[in-house]
Amino acid sequence: MAKARATAFFCSECGYESAKWMGQCPACRAWNTMVEEPLAAASRTAPARGAAGETRRDGKTLRPVSLEEISLEETDRMRTGFDELDRVLGSGLVAGSLVLVGGDPGIGKSTILLQVCRNLAAWGRPVLYVSGEESLKQIKLRAGRIGPVSGPLSFLCETDLDAIAQVIRKERPAAVVIDSIQTMDTEAVSSAPGSVSQVRECTGLLMQLAKGLGVTVFIVGHVTKEGVVAGPRVLEHMVDTVLYFEGDRHASYRILRSVKNRFGSTNEIGVFEMREEGLHEVSNPSEFLLEGRPAGASGAVTACSMEGTRPLLLEVQALVARSSFGMPRRTAAGTDYNRVNLLMAVLEKRCRYELSNFDAYVNIAGGMRMTEPALDLAIVAALVSSYRDRPVDEKTVVFGEVGLSGEVRAVSMADQRVSEARRLGFTRCILPAANLGRVRQAGGMILDGVSNVKEAMALL
Ligand code: TYD
Ligand code: MG
């Protein structure tokens, strides 16, 4: 008889479990990600069942229900006190949901969650903040920066998740923050905190708590590149909502992006500014992103991108310079590198620009990451403007998708983009000709529809 296995191999990217080591994970195709870890206790993975197969481990009997029996009342949303966060969540928090907040260390995850806890507590909702990383003193210092705290907000410095679960069952808070999942451990598995199976087991336990008690649970997860510590990738499949906090640590603003949301759309972003006294919402990100725009410089073009339902104006910069080596260098910061290469090939082939002896650097100002195809025309315009050293009029906004034969294709929500540009004082808009019919009111803006890249370049 085969000996019962004590360990197994887990993929640190996706959590795939295998009895033997493999160089490549068959599930997510990542290389060298399998790590050996002890298995969970047998009682959890393979429960012995008697004749009463429909009885759960905890003695309850399973009973399927019809649609009429399901009430929708539990999906009442709870405000977080930040409109930017509520929108990313899909108009507020859902009771009993599991929200993962990921991001680099020092980006502000603990800060924003502490601010949310403070808002919830101020409205009388009991909240528990569990920190496995910082001492109570450190938390108090941070709380001192974000302002006075009132209401039922309590703290716990602990990493033993089984004990924390007991506290949650007893206190029944409306929301719990677990900061961070990589520091938590449960008895069910013997591997170290932060390992794939430990992170998986802990999240499973938190999920049971959230669904069983209707507690909203925020889980903080650090993003790490090494395979040793389980990144939030493993968790993403288990939780309801995944939010990523991004931005340059050295700049002051932060972007909260949802990459998965069972209760809302996934393309919304929230913009915040890190100040001395915590995070502040930025409700006018376009103004923020266009701040400090150079006047009359070549290679800078204002574009309009949609982030979910909100139009964002931003500056696309390009620098095209003669290459000193045989191989020209191309870089893209904040946008897709391959897309930039493709657009340069279109310029060479369709517009006869000799770009093969030139280095090209493309950057989205402000550290934003934007990959919407509607930015294509602005990238092309910025490249040509820098190549010919001719500035583009600074009151002009450009958007449109560029196809392989140099045609400019229609984009979605042209109307919203034009009104945002008008609101910020732009006077001219270069957009796909196919979109012209759908723009209802230009309000004094000059609208120039173009159907290919050549036409657009002639206009600029
Ligand atoms: P933190 O929330 O601890 O980051 P994380 O939990 O994601 O690791 O944020 C730490 C950074 O934020 C730190 O560099 C200090 C800065 N900060 C401010 O600028 N203002 C503030 O009010 C607070 C609380 C932090
Ligand atoms: Mg932290």
Side-chain angles (χ1 to χ4, degrees), residues 93-126:
L93 278 172
V94 175
S97 65
L98 212 57
V99 181
L100 171 66
V101 181
D104 293 332
I107 202 83
K109 302 181 293 295
S110 306
T111 307
I112 192 164
L113 290 178
L114 187 60
Q115 287 182 277
V116 169
C117 288
R118 171 176 169 250
N119 294 344
L120 292 176
W123 295 324
R125 300 196 190 254

Side-chain angles (χ1 to χ4, degrees), residues 109-110 129 133-134 142 179 220 222:
K109 302 181 293 295
S110 306
Y129 188 105
E133 303 200 326
E134 287 161 327
R142 178 179 291 118
D179 188 1
V220 174
H222 294 295

Side-chain angles (χ1 to χ4, degrees), residues 93-372:
L93 278 172
V94 175
S97 65
L98 212 57
V99 181
L100 171 66
V101 181
D104 293 332
I107 202 83
K109 302 181 293 295
S110 306
T111 307
I112 192 164
L113 290 178
L114 187 60
Q115 287 182 277
V116 169
C117 288
R118 171 176 169 250
N119 294 344
L120 292 176
W123 295 324
R125 300 196 190 254
V127 191
L128 177 65
Y129 188 105
V130 183
S131 179
E133 303 200 326
E134 287 161 327
S135 67
L136 289 170
K137 269 202 194 113
Q138 282 170 302
I139 295 175
K140 184 151 176 134
L141 284 176
R142 178 179 291 118
R145 293 177 74 168
I146 65 168
V149 173
S150 64
L153 171 55
S154 43
F155 296 92
L156 201 58
C157 278
E158 186 51 63
T159 58
D160 177 351
L161 195 62
D162 302 303
I164 296 167
Q166 288 305 327
V167 175
I168 297 173
R169 284 193 196 100
K170 197 169 120 240
E171 310 249 320
R172 295 287 186 109
V176 176
V177 173
I178 302 289
D179 188 1
S180 66
I181 192 72
Q182 275 100 0
T183 58
M184 296 293 147
D185 72 307
T186 161
E187 270 174 3
V189 271
S190 55
S191 53
S195 60
V196 184
S197 45
Q198 192 64 261
V199 164
R200 221 164 49 161
E201 205 63 24
C202 287
T203 312
L205 181 56
L206 288 168
M207 186 156 61
Q208 279 173 15
L209 283 173
K211 306 291 170 208
L213 306 175
V215 184
T216 302
V217 179
F218 286 100
I219 299 176
V220 174
H222 294 295
V223 186
T224 46
K225 294 238 156 57
E226 307 92 59
V228 216
V229 180
R233 292 268 130 162
V234 183
L235 290 114
E236 282 181 6
H237 309 293
M238 306 178 71
V239 301
D240 297 309
T241 305
V242 181
L243 306 180
Y244 270 98
F245 217 16
E246 38 182 71
D248 188 353
R249 261 183 68 178
H250 306 289
S252 62
Y253 50 85
R254 305 278 185 268
I255 293 143
L256 195 62
R257 198 184 283 279
S258 86
V259 294
K260 167 178 175 177
N261 196 350
R262 286 188 185 144
F263 306 111
S265 85
T266 53
N267 45 14
E268 294 289 353
I269 62 165
V271 185
F272 293 87
E273 186 186 354
M274 181 65 99
R275 297 206 196 142
E276 261 316 294
E277 65 291 338
L279 287 153
H280 280 251
E281 297 178 85
V282 178
S283 37
N284 264 331
S286 294
E287 278 159 37
F288 202 73
L289 285 168
L290 292 179
E291 230 169 57
R293 205 155 43 112
S298 68
V301 174
T302 307
C304 189
S305 171
M306 294 298 295
E307 281 295 325
T309 52
R310 186 161 63 166
L312 267 187
L313 291 185
L314 44 93
E315 190 194 327
V316 178
Q317 302 176 325
L319 184 66
V320 178
R322 192 166 281 284
S323 179
S324 39
F325 303 104
M327 266 290 276
R329 277 172 60 89
R330 266 98 212 249
T331 66
T335 187
D336 186 13
Y337 172 76
N338 293 323
R339 194 87 201 158
V340 169
N341 275 335
L342 183 150
L343 293 171
M344 294 193 71
V346 169
L347 275 179
E348 286 220 19
K349 181 92 182 165
R350 309 286 170 201
C351 307
R352 309 260 166 240
Y353 283 106
E354 287 293 334
L355 294 169
S356 54
N357 295 324
F358 287 85
D359 292 340
Y361 308 91
V362 173
N363 177 36
I364 306 289
M368 279 276 206
R369 230 199 115 63
M370 295 282 160
T371 48
E372 210 205 349

Side-chain angles (χ1 to χ4, degrees), residues 293 300-302 391-397 426-428 460:
R293 205 155 43 112
V301 174
T302 307
V392 169
D393 170 39
E394 52 193 281
K395 292 269 172 241
T396 300
V397 169
F426 285 82
T427 52
R428 186 180 181 204
L460 287 162

